Structures are given as C-alpha cells and as structure tokens.
C-alpha cells in the first residue's frame, strides 16, 4: 500500500489525523502542490484526478477520496474504530461527514480558491483549469455563517459529532475548523459548545 500526500493540505490532514489516531504507518511520498507537481505527467499517471491524498493498494486499486480511504483502512485495521461500530452510528458518521464537507469544507474552499491570486484559474482542484468566480467568496462566507449555529446546536446536545465516541466525523469537523481559520472565519466566539468540543477532540486527536 502506498500513500501520496502533501502534509499541509487540508484533505491530507484529514487522513493524517485518522492514521495517527489509529497508529497506522504507510509508505508515503510527498507531492509538491505549491509547485504544481500534481498536474505533471508522472503524478497524473498515478492519480488522473490530480489531487492528494491518493492511496494505492498492492493490487493497484486507487482511492482518491479520503472518505473511501478511511472506510477501507478502518476495516483493515479494526482497532480504535473511527467509522462507527453499529448500523446507526455508521450512518451518522457518513451523514455528518457529508454535511460537514458540503456545508463547511466546500464553502471554505470556495472562499479561498476564488479570492487568492495563487489560485487564479485553479478555482477547483483537478486536471482542468477553472476560472475564479468572485461571487462565490461572499456566498461561501454566508454559508459558513449559516452552518456554525447548526453545529453549535448539535454539539450543545451531543458530546461528539456522531454517537458517543470520537469518529471520522469529528476528524473532519476538526480539520474544517482549522481550514476556516485560513479564511479568517474560525469558530465564532458565541459557539461555546463548539469551542469546548474542539478543545476536547484536539486533546484526543493531537494530544
Ligand atoms: N474529495 C477529495 C479532495 C482532494 C483535494 O481536493 N485535495 C486538494 C488538497 S486539500 C488537492 O489535491 N489540490 C490540488 C490542487 O489544488 O491542484 C478528497 O476527499 O480527498
């Protein structure tokens, strides 16, 4: 099994937290996103989607989505399960994870990639050059503003995102909270339950 990644990238961090928590070590190669290595012929031959992380199994099976990698690895390395331990928790992990990705990670990426000069014509990751749409910046900010109260209300009633233990959904929310700080829209002061959750999960995931 071989992992291609770029440590500072948010999607790479999602997987890195998962691997560290479970104590999994993989043969790893860094891809230099800052210098466009993901778009070069050598990396395209490995992952035609031109994104990191990418995980390749010994039989050549390629995973390009962190959620797919986590689903696979949690079954291969069952200690300290992170994808849910019963049908309800498994479904909750998937449901919240999808919600967090769509309503928090994706708008944050929109803000960043449609506003900064270094993502000019790279508004969406992947093999195609996509021009920036400046209107997506304010839309992204509005979507983040609307999502924080949803998460705050959930964490006021629940110790973790999905069920009563840390899961991949917590990892993704934790990473998303860090990513939001890149666009200066981190956890708002009034979201006290969310901040308390963040501090607790940080101690569990990062130590
Ligand atoms: N849906 C993918 C997203 C992967 C992705 O967007 N990765 C970013 C780094 S955070 C990337 O490779 N960007 C390359 C680029 O911007 O050209 C996943 O779940 O892993």
């Amino acid at each position: 099994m071989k992992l291609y990644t770029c440590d500072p990238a948010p999607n790479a961090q999602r997987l890195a937290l998962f691997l560290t928590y479970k104590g999994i070590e993989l043969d790893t190669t860094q891809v230099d996103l800052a210098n466009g290595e993901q778009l070069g012929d050598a990396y395209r031959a490995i992952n035609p989607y031109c994104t990191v992380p990418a995980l390749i199994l010994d039989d050549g099976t390629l995973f390009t989505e962190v959620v797919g990698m986590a689903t696979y690895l949690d079954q291969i390395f069952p200690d300290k399960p992170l994808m849910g331990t019963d049908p309800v928790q498994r479904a909750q992990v998937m449901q919240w994870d999808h919600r967090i990705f769509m309503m928090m990670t994706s708008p944050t990426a929109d803000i960043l990639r449609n506003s900064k000069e270094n993502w000019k014509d790279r508004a969406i990751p992947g093999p195609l050059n996509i021009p920036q749409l400046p209107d997506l910046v304010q839309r992204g900010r509005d979507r983040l503003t609307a999502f924080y109260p949803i998460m705050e209300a959930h964490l006021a009633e629940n110790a973790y995102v999905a069920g009563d233990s840390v899961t991949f959904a917590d990892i993704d929310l934790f990473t998303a909270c860090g990513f939001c700080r890149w666009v200066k829209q981190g956890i708002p002061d009034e979201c006290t339950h969310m901040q308390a959750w963040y501090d607790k999960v940080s101690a569990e995931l990062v130590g």
Side-chain angles (χ1 to χ4, degrees), residues 5-180:
T5 194
C6 173
D7 286 343
N11 285 295
Q13 289 172 17
R14 295 167 61 205
L15 185 65
L17 284 171
F18 176 96
L19 295 174
T20 301
Y21 180 82
K22 287 179 73 79
I24 302 171
E25 288 182 20
L26 298 177
D27 177 9
T28 300
T29 296
Q30 296 291 323
V31 180
D32 185 357
L33 293 191
N35 286 305
E37 188 183 350
Q38 75 278 22
L39 301 172
D41 290 343
Y43 191 67
R44 272 175 206 255
I46 293 163
N47 175 9
Y49 296 101
C50 304
T51 54
V52 294
L55 181 69
I56 304 187
L57 307 190
D58 293 343
D59 70 359
T61 302
L62 169 68
F63 292 115
T64 62
E65 309 301 315
V66 177
V67 69
M69 298 170 210
T71 300
Y72 172 76
L73 291 169
D74 208 49
Q75 293 173 79
I76 299 301
F77 299 97
D79 284 354
K80 301 178 83 177
L82 281 170
M83 303 307 285
T85 55
D86 61 57
V88 170
Q89 195 190 26
R90 274 187 212 111
Q92 286 175 332
V93 170
M94 280 297 119
Q95 173 164 281
W96 275 106
D97 195 65
H98 186 71
R99 191 174 285 147
I100 290 160
F101 196 86
M102 294 302 294
M103 299 176 80
M104 199 165 171
T105 308
S106 175
T108 306
D110 276 350
I111 297 166
L112 195 66
R113 299 188 74 114
N114 289 285
S115 63
K116 304 275 189 237
E117 180 65 23
N118 44 335
W119 277 288
K120 191 170 183 304
D121 290 327
R122 296 292 307 155
I124 294 180
L128 297 179
N129 284 336
I130 309 272
Q132 293 176 322
L133 291 177
D135 283 352
L136 292 180
V137 177
Q138 190 55 49
R139 191 186 75 160
R141 294 206 176 281
D142 292 345
R143 292 180 70 202
L144 278 184
T145 300
F147 187 59
Y148 275 118
I150 294 172
M151 239 25 272
E152 172 67 4
H154 184 68
L155 293 170
E157 300 289 332
N158 296 277
Y160 294 94
V161 175
D164 57 7
S165 59
V166 73
T167 67
F168 183 60
D170 294 281
I171 287 178
D172 271 1
L173 181 60
F174 181 80
T175 313
C177 288
F179 190 31
C180 287

